């Protein structure tokens, strides 16, 4: 529940501490041309919700500064920051070993989800999965998790970057302990082993 514990005041304190050692980073990320405190807070909450630590606030703010001219969409920014924190994410999900065990989706299942990807008129993407298929997907995920032993103790699903965030939002209520990552979230020097496939 870390995302519920951090508010504007807590984040401002963290940023003030960083500003003492890296004033330029803070200036570029939080300024007239970049993001206000509320936008940075949304990104931090998005990371914490999926248990991605924000101790490395310098990398978080540097990434936001780099992409300020590209997008202001919080969900997309979370994905960019996750990629910048790939080593941290990999270390956490592999218990520090760098050896990551993952499930993947069968090609037909992943293709079905990618076909459901749509951009709404207001610009935000969504997954428009048929209710019947979504139910099958949840059952398949739970069944695979129940029959698979992950060394880390945490079930991890590897999927395409474009659907990672949307899929996590769609399934988190029904499969709450599942970590969903894309190749962008995995450190280049990690050893990745596929130990199960999900077929909806």
């Amino acid at each position: 529940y870390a995302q519920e514990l951090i508010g504007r005041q807590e984040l401002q304190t963290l940023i003030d501490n960083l500003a003492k050692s890296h004033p330029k980073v803070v200036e570029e990320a939080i300024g007239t041309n970049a993001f206000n405190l509320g936008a940075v807070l949304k990104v931090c909450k998005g990371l914490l919700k999926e248990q991605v630590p924000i101790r490395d606030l310098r990398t978080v703010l540097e990434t936001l500064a780099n992409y300020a001219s590209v997008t202001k969409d919080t969900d997309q920014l979370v994905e960019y920051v996750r990629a910048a924190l790939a080593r941290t994410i990999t270390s956490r999900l592999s218990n520090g070993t760098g050896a990551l065990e993952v499930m993947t989706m069968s090609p037909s299942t992943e293709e079905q989800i990618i076909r459901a990807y749509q951009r709404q008129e207001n610009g935000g993407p969504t997954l428009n999965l048929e209710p019947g298929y979504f139910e099958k997907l949840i059952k398949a995920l739970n069944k695979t998790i129940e029959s698979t032993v992950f060394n880390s103790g945490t079930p991890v699903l590897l999927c395409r970057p474009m659907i990672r965030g949307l899929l996590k939002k769609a399934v988190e209520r029904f499969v709450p302990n599942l970590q969903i990552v894309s190749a962008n979230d995995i450190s280049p020097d990690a050893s990745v082993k596929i130990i199960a496939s999900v077929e909806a």
Side-chain angles (χ1 to χ4, degrees):
Y1 300 101
Q3 79 274 12
E4 293 172 19
L5 301 176
I6 189 167
R8 286 170 186 266
Q9 193 55 57
E10 291 79 13
L11 180 60
Q12 187 64 64
T13 303
L14 294 173
I15 289 170
D16 289 345
N17 286 336
L18 182 66
K20 291 171 190 171
S21 55
H22 298 85
K24 195 70 183 163
V25 174
V26 173
E27 183 190 320
E28 284 191 17
I30 303 173
T32 48
N33 301 325
F35 303 97
N36 60 29
L37 190 66
V40 178
L41 181 61
K42 275 186 184 174
V43 171
C44 288
K45 280 179 177 281
L47 293 165
L48 289 169
K49 190 174 182 186
E50 293 194 57
Q51 294 147 40
V52 178
I54 58 165
R55 280 191 293 271
D56 187 2
L57 194 60
R58 175 186 169 186
T59 296
V60 174
L61 293 184
E62 278 181 345
T63 307
L64 291 178
N66 290 342
Y67 288 97
S69 60
V70 178
T71 184
K72 293 289 189 272
D73 179 75
T74 305
D75 292 338
Q76 189 56 60
L77 290 166
V78 166
E79 296 304 313
Y80 288 138
V81 176
R82 283 178 64 94
L85 295 172
R87 284 186 194 284
T88 302
I89 292 172
T90 303
S91 176
R92 191 178 62 76
L93 293 179
S94 65
N95 289 340
T97 64
L100 192 60
E101 292 182 334
V102 300
M103 308 184 293
T104 56
M105 290 181 284
S106 70
S108 61
T109 301
E110 191 162 54
E111 197 55 48
Q112 186 86 12
I113 294 169
I114 288 168
R115 277 205 297 269
Y117 177 93
Q118 290 178 346
R119 282 210 164 271
Q120 296 170 302
E121 284 181 19
N122 65 5
T126 183
L127 277 186
N128 192 15
L129 286 165
E130 294 171 11
Y133 186 79
F134 180 69
E135 203 174 305
K136 283 182 190 169
L137 178 63
I138 296 298
K139 278 183 183 167
L141 283 167
N142 280 316
K143 186 179 173 188
T144 309
I145 289 169
E146 280 167 22
S147 61
T148 308
V149 177
F150 291 83
N151 278 345
S152 66
T154 304
V156 180
L157 175 68
L158 177 64
C159 70
R160 302 256 191 101
M162 72 179 286
I163 58 171
R164 192 214 72 82
L166 292 170
L167 188 60
K168 175 64 181 173
K169 280 185 178 174
V171 306
E172 63 188 348
R173 265 181 53 213
F174 308 97
V175 200
N177 60 336
L178 175 64
Q179 292 288 325
I180 303 183
V181 298
S182 76
N184 295 345
D185 302 329
I186 299 173
S187 173
D189 53 2
S191 160
V192 179
K193 184 180 179 186
I194 297 169
I195 60 170
S197 179
V198 178
E199 174 74 70

